[in-house]
Amino acid sequence: MERKEKMTSRERLLTALNHQTPDRVPLDLGGFQTGIHIKAYKELLNYLHIHEDRVEILDAVQQLAKPSETILERFHIDIRYLTAHAPDGYKGEIEENTREGRKWYDLKDEFGVVWSMPAENGLFMDISYHPLARASLKEIKEYPFPDGKDTSRFSGLREQVLQLRKETPYGIATGISGVVYEYCWYLRGLEQWFLDMMENPAICEALLDRTTQFWVDFHTGFMKEIGDLVDVVMIGDDLTGQYGPLFDPAIYRSLVKPRQKKLVQHIKSLTRAKIWYHTCGSCIEYIPDLIDNGIDILNPVQTSAANMDPATLKKRFGKQITFWGGGIDSQHTLPFASPAKVKEEVKRNMEIFKPGGGYVFNNIHNIQAGVPPENIVALYEAAYEYGWY
C-alpha cells in the first residue's frame, strides 16, 4: 500500500526533534558528518544509471561527496546542509607535492595544520604536520589563530538560507563547527596532547581556551547571519573509541566539558535551533554530560561499539536527547552483508529508535568507499519503508 506523507520535511524534522511523533522518521544522507565517500557516491550513480556532469567534493579531508538533488529526492532525504566558507584572504587550495618519489595532495587549513593524502589509491587525508607539536606555553598563547570574528566567511549565507526556506520544504542544518577539543590535538599531535593532559595541563587549558574563544567568536557572527533560519547547528568532538572514553573522564569533566558547555550555551543564546553533537564510539559514559551541556541531538550513535545497545540507549536517554544515525552497522553489515540483511537490520533498529519521535535516520558515520551500491539503495529503501508511524 502506498503511503501518503502528511508533513513537509521541515515539519517532520522539527516534530521528531521535539520528541513528538511525525508521519514518518526523517531521513538524512549527511553533509560533513555521516555523509558518503566520493568513490561510493560515483559507484551509486553508476548503479542507478544517473549521469552527473560534475560531482562536487563537500569535504576534502574526508573525501565526501555533495549528493545531488536527484539522489536526495530519490531517497526521500529530509535535510539540506549549508556551511560557512573560507574567509577572504585564505585560499585553502590543495597542492600537489612530491616526497621521496611519491606524489601527495596537501592542504593547509586556517589553523596551520597540514592534511595529506597520497595521489595513488588515496581515500582520505590524514594530518602530516602539527604546527604546535613542540611549542612552549608562551608560544601557544602567542600562536596566530584565525580570526573567528572575520565576517567575510559568512557573506552570502543568509541569502542561501532564505532561498532554501522560501523555495524548498526541507529542514536546514549547518556544517560541522565548534570543534573545541579535537583541534587541540590537531595542532599539538595526539600523542603529545595525551602527555600534556597528564604532565602539563596548563598547556591543555591554554589551547582549549583559544579554540573555545575562536568558536565563540565564529558562532557570534554565524548565528547573527542565519540563527533565525536554521533548524540544526552541528558541533562535535570525538571523545570516545570503540570501547569507551579515549582519556580519563575526570580530565574531560575538569578541562574539556566547561569549555564545551560555554560554547553550547552561547550558541543557544543566539538561536532556537537544536544543537547537534558528533562523537563516534562508545560514548554512553558521556551522554549525561552532553545533555547537561545543552546538547539536543547525538550523532552518529555507533551501536556497534561497546555498551551502545540501541534498546538501552532509547530506554535511558530517548526522552532527553534525539538520536541521529544508528541505522545500520557501518563496519560489518553495510559493507559486507546482503541487501536483505541490510533491510533486516534497518527494520530492527527503526522499531527500537522511532517510538515517540526523537529519532532521525542515517547510517552510522560515513558510507565508505567499497560499500556496494545495492546495499546503499537497500539502506534507504528500507528506512523509508519501515519509518512510517
Side-chain angles (χ1 to χ4, degrees), residues 176-209:
I176 192 74
S177 61
V179 188
V180 168
Y181 162 76
E182 274 193 77
Y183 243 97
C184 293
W185 75 255
Y186 295 174
L187 289 159
R188 192 77 170 142
L190 186 59
E191 182 177 355
Q192 184 59 54
W193 177 252
F194 281 169
L195 287 172
D196 292 337
M197 284 182 170
M198 303 301 296
E199 299 174 354
N200 202 342
I203 279 183
C204 296
E205 291 179 341
L207 206 44
L208 283 163
D209 283 342

Short mmCIF file of all heavy atoms in Angstrom, two decimals, residues 176-209:
data_model
loop_
_atom_site.label_atom_id
_atom_site.label_comp_id
_atom_site.label_asym_id
_atom_site.label_seq_id
_atom_site.Cartn_x
_atom_site.Cartn_y
_atom_site.Cartn_z
N ILE A 176 29.61 21.07 10.09
CA ILE A 176 30.24 20.86 11.39
C ILE A 176 31.10 22.07 11.76
O ILE A 176 31.76 22.68 10.93
CB ILE A 176 31.08 19.57 11.39
CG1 ILE A 176 31.51 19.19 12.82
CG2 ILE A 176 32.26 19.68 10.44
CD1 ILE A 176 30.41 18.63 13.66
N SER A 177 31.07 22.42 13.04
CA SER A 177 31.89 23.52 13.58
C SER A 177 32.06 23.23 15.07
O SER A 177 31.80 22.13 15.54
CB SER A 177 31.19 24.87 13.35
OG SER A 177 29.93 24.90 14.01
N GLY A 178 32.51 24.22 15.83
CA GLY A 178 32.58 24.06 17.28
C GLY A 178 33.48 22.94 17.74
O GLY A 178 33.20 22.29 18.75
N VAL A 179 34.59 22.71 17.04
CA VAL A 179 35.49 21.60 17.37
C VAL A 179 36.47 22.07 18.45
O VAL A 179 37.63 22.38 18.18
CB VAL A 179 36.22 21.09 16.12
CG1 VAL A 179 37.00 19.82 16.41
CG2 VAL A 179 35.22 20.85 14.99
N VAL A 180 35.99 22.14 19.68
CA VAL A 180 36.75 22.70 20.79
C VAL A 180 37.93 21.81 21.19
O VAL A 180 39.06 22.28 21.35
CB VAL A 180 35.83 22.93 22.00
CG1 VAL A 180 36.64 23.25 23.26
CG2 VAL A 180 34.84 24.05 21.71
N TYR A 181 37.69 20.52 21.36
CA TYR A 181 38.70 19.60 21.88
C TYR A 181 39.63 19.07 20.79
O TYR A 181 40.86 19.12 20.92
CB TYR A 181 38.02 18.44 22.60
CG TYR A 181 38.92 17.24 22.78
CD1 TYR A 181 39.92 17.24 23.75
CD2 TYR A 181 38.80 16.12 21.96
CE1 TYR A 181 40.77 16.16 23.90
CE2 TYR A 181 39.65 15.03 22.10
CZ TYR A 181 40.62 15.05 23.08
OH TYR A 181 41.47 13.98 23.21
N GLU A 182 39.06 18.55 19.71
CA GLU A 182 39.87 17.85 18.72
C GLU A 182 40.92 18.76 18.07
O GLU A 182 42.03 18.31 17.77
CB GLU A 182 38.99 17.24 17.63
CG GLU A 182 38.46 15.86 17.97
CD GLU A 182 37.85 15.18 16.76
OE1 GLU A 182 38.63 14.69 15.91
OE2 GLU A 182 36.62 15.15 16.66
N TYR A 183 40.57 20.03 17.87
CA TYR A 183 41.55 20.89 17.21
C TYR A 183 42.81 21.08 18.05
O TYR A 183 43.88 21.39 17.52
CB TYR A 183 40.94 22.23 16.80
CG TYR A 183 40.99 22.36 15.30
CD1 TYR A 183 39.89 22.04 14.52
CD2 TYR A 183 42.19 22.69 14.66
CE1 TYR A 183 39.95 22.09 13.14
CE2 TYR A 183 42.26 22.73 13.27
CZ TYR A 183 41.14 22.42 12.53
OH TYR A 183 41.21 22.44 11.15
N CYS A 184 42.69 20.86 19.35
CA CYS A 184 43.87 20.96 20.20
C CYS A 184 44.89 19.89 19.82
O CYS A 184 46.09 20.17 19.69
CB CYS A 184 43.48 20.81 21.67
SG CYS A 184 42.48 22.18 22.29
N TRP A 185 44.42 18.65 19.62
CA TRP A 185 45.41 17.63 19.26
C TRP A 185 45.77 17.69 17.77
O TRP A 185 46.86 17.25 17.38
CB TRP A 185 44.98 16.24 19.71
CG TRP A 185 43.91 15.51 18.98
CD1 TRP A 185 42.63 15.32 19.40
CD2 TRP A 185 44.03 14.79 17.74
NE1 TRP A 185 41.94 14.56 18.48
CE2 TRP A 185 42.78 14.21 17.46
CE3 TRP A 185 45.08 14.59 16.84
CZ2 TRP A 185 42.55 13.45 16.31
CZ3 TRP A 185 44.84 13.84 15.68
CH2 TRP A 185 43.59 13.28 15.44
N TYR A 186 44.91 18.26 16.95
CA TYR A 186 45.32 18.51 15.57
C TYR A 186 46.56 19.42 15.56
O TYR A 186 47.51 19.21 14.80
CB TYR A 186 44.23 19.22 14.77
CG TYR A 186 42.94 18.47 14.53
CD1 TYR A 186 41.87 19.10 13.92
CD2 TYR A 186 42.79 17.13 14.91
CE1 TYR A 186 40.67 18.44 13.69
CE2 TYR A 186 41.60 16.47 14.68
CZ TYR A 186 40.54 17.12 14.09
OH TYR A 186 39.35 16.47 13.86
N LEU A 187 46.53 20.43 16.41
CA LEU A 187 47.62 21.39 16.48
C LEU A 187 48.85 20.82 17.20
O LEU A 187 49.98 21.13 16.82
CB LEU A 187 47.15 22.65 17.20
CG LEU A 187 46.17 23.54 16.44
CD1 LEU A 187 45.40 24.43 17.40
CD2 LEU A 187 46.89 24.38 15.41
N ARG A 188 48.60 20.01 18.18
CA ARG A 188 49.66 19.55 19.08
C ARG A 188 50.21 18.17 18.71
O ARG A 188 51.36 17.85 19.01
CB ARG A 188 49.09 19.53 20.50
CG ARG A 188 50.08 19.35 21.61
CD ARG A 188 50.82 20.61 21.90
NE ARG A 188 51.59 20.48 23.13
CZ ARG A 188 52.79 20.98 23.33
NH1 ARG A 188 53.36 21.69 22.37
NH2 ARG A 188 53.41 20.83 24.47
N GLY A 189 49.36 17.34 18.09
CA GLY A 189 49.70 15.93 17.87
C GLY A 189 49.05 15.10 18.97
O GLY A 189 49.09 15.48 20.15
N LEU A 190 48.44 13.99 18.63
CA LEU A 190 47.65 13.23 19.59
C LEU A 190 48.49 12.70 20.75
O LEU A 190 48.11 12.82 21.92
CB LEU A 190 46.93 12.07 18.88
CG LEU A 190 45.94 11.27 19.74
CD1 LEU A 190 44.85 12.17 20.28
CD2 LEU A 190 45.33 10.13 18.93
N GLU A 191 49.64 12.12 20.43
CA GLU A 191 50.48 11.59 21.50
C GLU A 191 50.95 12.68 22.45
O GLU A 191 50.86 12.53 23.68
CB GLU A 191 51.70 10.87 20.90
CG GLU A 191 52.60 10.24 21.96
CD GLU A 191 53.76 9.47 21.35
OE1 GLU A 191 53.82 9.34 20.11
OE2 GLU A 191 54.62 9.01 22.12
N GLN A 192 51.40 13.79 21.90
CA GLN A 192 51.85 14.89 22.75
C GLN A 192 50.70 15.47 23.57
O GLN A 192 50.86 15.82 24.74
CB GLN A 192 52.49 15.98 21.90
CG GLN A 192 53.07 17.14 22.71
CD GLN A 192 54.14 16.68 23.67
OE1 GLN A 192 55.10 16.03 23.28
NE2 GLN A 192 53.97 17.00 24.96
N TRP A 193 49.51 15.54 22.95
CA TRP A 193 48.33 16.07 23.66
C TRP A 193 47.98 15.19 24.85
O TRP A 193 47.67 15.69 25.94
CB TRP A 193 47.17 16.20 22.69
CG TRP A 193 45.90 16.67 23.34
CD1 TRP A 193 44.78 15.93 23.59
CD2 TRP A 193 45.61 17.98 23.83
NE1 TRP A 193 43.83 16.69 24.19
CE2 TRP A 193 44.30 17.96 24.35
CE3 TRP A 193 46.33 19.18 23.86
CZ2 TRP A 193 43.70 19.09 24.90
CZ3 TRP A 193 45.73 20.31 24.41
CH2 TRP A 193 44.42 20.25 24.93
N PHE A 194 48.02 13.88 24.66
CA PHE A 194 47.73 12.98 25.78
C PHE A 194 48.77 13.11 26.89
O PHE A 194 48.46 13.04 28.07
CB PHE A 194 47.64 11.54 25.28
CG PHE A 194 46.32 11.21 24.62
CD1 PHE A 194 46.17 10.02 23.91
CD2 PHE A 194 45.24 12.05 24.69
CE1 PHE A 194 44.96 9.70 23.30
CE2 PHE A 194 44.02 11.75 24.08
CZ PHE A 194 43.88 10.57 23.38
N LEU A 195 50.04 13.31 26.51
CA LEU A 195 51.08 13.55 27.51
C LEU A 195 50.83 14.86 28.24
O LEU A 195 51.02 14.95 29.47
CB LEU A 195 52.45 13.57 26.83
CG LEU A 195 53.01 12.23 26.36
CD1 LEU A 195 54.27 12.44 25.53
CD2 LEU A 195 53.29 11.30 27.53
N ASP A 196 50.41 15.87 27.49
CA ASP A 196 50.10 17.16 28.13
C ASP A 196 49.02 17.01 29.19
O ASP A 196 49.07 17.66 30.25
CB ASP A 196 49.63 18.17 27.08
CG ASP A 196 50.73 18.58 26.11
OD1 ASP A 196 51.91 18.47 26.46
OD2 ASP A 196 50.38 19.01 24.99
N MET A 197 48.01 16.21 28.89
CA MET A 197 46.91 16.02 29.85
C MET A 197 47.43 15.52 31.20
O MET A 197 46.92 15.91 32.26
CB MET A 197 45.89 15.02 29.29
CG MET A 197 44.99 15.58 28.21
SD MET A 197 43.80 14.33 27.70
CE MET A 197 42.70 15.31 26.70
N MET A 198 48.45 14.66 31.14
CA MET A 198 48.97 14.07 32.35
C MET A 198 50.08 14.92 32.99
O MET A 198 50.18 15.01 34.22
CB MET A 198 49.54 12.67 32.04
CG MET A 198 48.54 11.72 31.42
SD MET A 198 47.08 11.45 32.46
CE MET A 198 47.82 10.66 33.89
N GLU A 199 50.90 15.56 32.14
CA GLU A 199 52.11 16.20 32.65
C GLU A 199 52.08 17.72 32.63
O GLU A 199 52.83 18.36 33.38
CB GLU A 199 53.32 15.72 31.82
CG GLU A 199 53.55 14.21 31.89
CD GLU A 199 54.65 13.76 30.96
OE1 GLU A 199 55.16 14.60 30.18
OE2 GLU A 199 55.02 12.57 31.01
N ASN A 200 51.27 18.30 31.78
CA ASN A 200 51.29 19.76 31.62
C ASN A 200 49.89 20.28 31.32
O ASN A 200 49.63 20.80 30.23
CB ASN A 200 52.26 20.14 30.50
CG ASN A 200 52.74 21.57 30.63
OD1 ASN A 200 52.12 22.38 31.33
ND2 ASN A 200 53.81 21.90 29.95
N PRO A 201 48.98 20.17 32.27
CA PRO A 201 47.60 20.60 32.00
C PRO A 201 47.48 22.09 31.68
O PRO A 201 46.50 22.50 31.06
CB PRO A 201 46.86 20.25 33.30
CG PRO A 201 47.93 20.10 34.34
CD PRO A 201 49.14 19.61 33.61
N ALA A 202 48.48 22.89 32.07
CA ALA A 202 48.42 24.32 31.75
C ALA A 202 48.42 24.54 30.24
O ALA A 202 47.75 25.45 29.73
CB ALA A 202 49.60 25.06 32.39
N ILE A 203 49.16 23.70 29.52
CA ILE A 203 49.16 23.79 28.06
C ILE A 203 47.78 23.44 27.52
O ILE A 203 47.26 24.09 26.60
CB ILE A 203 50.26 22.89 27.46
CG1 ILE A 203 51.60 23.60 27.54
CG2 ILE A 203 49.94 22.50 26.02
CD1 ILE A 203 52.76 22.87 26.92
N CYS A 204 47.16 22.39 28.07
CA CYS A 204 45.82 21.99 27.64
C CYS A 204 44.82 23.12 27.87
O CYS A 204 44.01 23.44 26.99
CB CYS A 204 45.38 20.74 28.38
SG CYS A 204 46.37 19.27 28.06
N GLU A 205 44.89 23.72 29.04
CA GLU A 205 43.96 24.80 29.35
C GLU A 205 44.15 25.99 28.40
O GLU A 205 43.17 26.57 27.92
CB GLU A 205 44.15 25.24 30.80
CG GLU A 205 43.69 24.20 31.82
CD GLU A 205 43.90 24.65 33.25
OE1 GLU A 205 44.71 25.58 33.47
OE2 GLU A 205 43.26 24.08 34.15
N ALA A 206 45.40 26.32 28.13
CA ALA A 206 45.67 27.47 27.25
C ALA A 206 45.15 27.22 25.85
O ALA A 206 44.53 28.10 25.23
CB ALA A 206 47.17 27.74 27.22
N LEU A 207 45.38 26.01 25.33
CA LEU A 207 44.93 25.70 23.98
C LEU A 207 43.42 25.56 23.91
O LEU A 207 42.78 26.04 22.95
CB LEU A 207 45.63 24.43 23.50
CG LEU A 207 45.81 24.23 21.99
CD1 LEU A 207 46.28 25.50 21.30
CD2 LEU A 207 46.76 23.08 21.72
N LEU A 208 42.82 24.93 24.90
CA LEU A 208 41.37 24.82 24.94
C LEU A 208 40.70 26.19 25.04
O LEU A 208 39.66 26.42 24.41
CB LEU A 208 40.93 23.94 26.13
CG LEU A 208 41.11 22.44 25.95
CD1 LEU A 208 41.04 21.73 27.30
CD2 LEU A 208 40.05 21.87 25.01
N ASP A 209 41.30 27.09 25.80
CA ASP A 209 40.74 28.44 25.89
C ASP A 209 40.77 29.15 24.53
O ASP A 209 39.84 29.86 24.17
CB ASP A 209 41.53 29.26 26.91
CG ASP A 209 41.15 28.92 28.35
OD1 ASP A 209 40.08 28.33 28.56
OD2 ASP A 209 41.95 29.24 29.25
#
